[in-house]
Amino acid sequence: MTLNLNDEIKKITGHDGCNVVIECVGKPFAVKQAIEAAGYNGNILLFSVPAPDSTVDLPLFDVYKKELHITGSMINPDTHQRAVNLINGRRLELGKLITHTFPIEELEEAIKTQMGAESIKVMVCPKED
């Protein structure tokens, strides 16, 4: 069974699309899903660090029809390299921060878990097409 992202969003929220979508995967498929998931007058934050040559076809009519706001992010020049060095030097045990992992079908439970005291970071794994 193939998951329809828009159907799942409507089932969970009762609305056609999300007000805010934060893409933090850095892959073209995730950007496409972010555009699909955004509702009318929605805000999309491209927060990831994609490969320098990554591109995605932008469905201009969807941007027009939904009146989307698409915002990029940038690396903080004062902290990024230090964080990269700590990660590459294996001085941080990042795996321990992810306390729960959920498939996209269990998004509601993932959000509830992240809001609870028993989690540190919750990962939701979308299905790549």
Side-chain angles (χ1 to χ4, degrees):
M1 179 179 134
T2 302
L3 176 70
N4 181 306
L5 183 59
N6 291 330
D7 289 347
E8 291 299 311
I9 290 169
K10 184 152 190 154
K11 185 170 42 172
I12 292 168
T13 67
H15 300 285
D16 291 321
C18 300
N19 295 331
V20 176
V21 179
I22 301 172
E23 185 282 316
C24 50
V25 176
K27 300 289 184 186
F29 80 90
V31 175
K32 288 181 182 180
Q33 285 181 342
I35 292 168
E36 290 173 16
Y40 174 75
N41 204 24
N43 293 284
I44 300 170
L45 173 60
L46 302 178
F47 191 67
S48 61
V49 182
D53 61 345
S54 290
T55 61
V56 66
D57 291 329
L58 180 63
L60 295 177
F61 192 77
D62 286 352
V63 174
Y64 158 77
K65 178 177 67 177
K66 293 181 176 184
E67 296 184 17
L68 297 177
H69 306 268
I70 302 172
T71 305
S73 63
M74 68 174 242
I75 295 172
N76 180 333
D78 298 323
T79 61
H80 183 76
Q81 190 59 53
R82 288 187 311 189
V84 168
N85 292 344
L86 287 170
I87 292 168
N88 286 342
R90 305 212 184 276
R91 296 187 59 201
L92 301 174
E93 295 183 52
L94 299 178
K96 291 182 177 181
L97 295 177
I98 301 170
T99 56
H100 299 79
T101 303
F102 293 90
I104 191 76
E105 295 87 358
E106 297 177 23
L107 180 60
E108 184 174 8
E109 183 63 28
I111 292 169
K112 289 177 182 176
T113 301
Q114 181 61 50
M115 292 169 39
E118 72 278 2
S119 68
I120 298 174
K121 291 289 182 185
V122 173
M123 184 181 331
V124 177
C125 301
K127 193 172 182 181
E128 188 171 344
D129 292 331

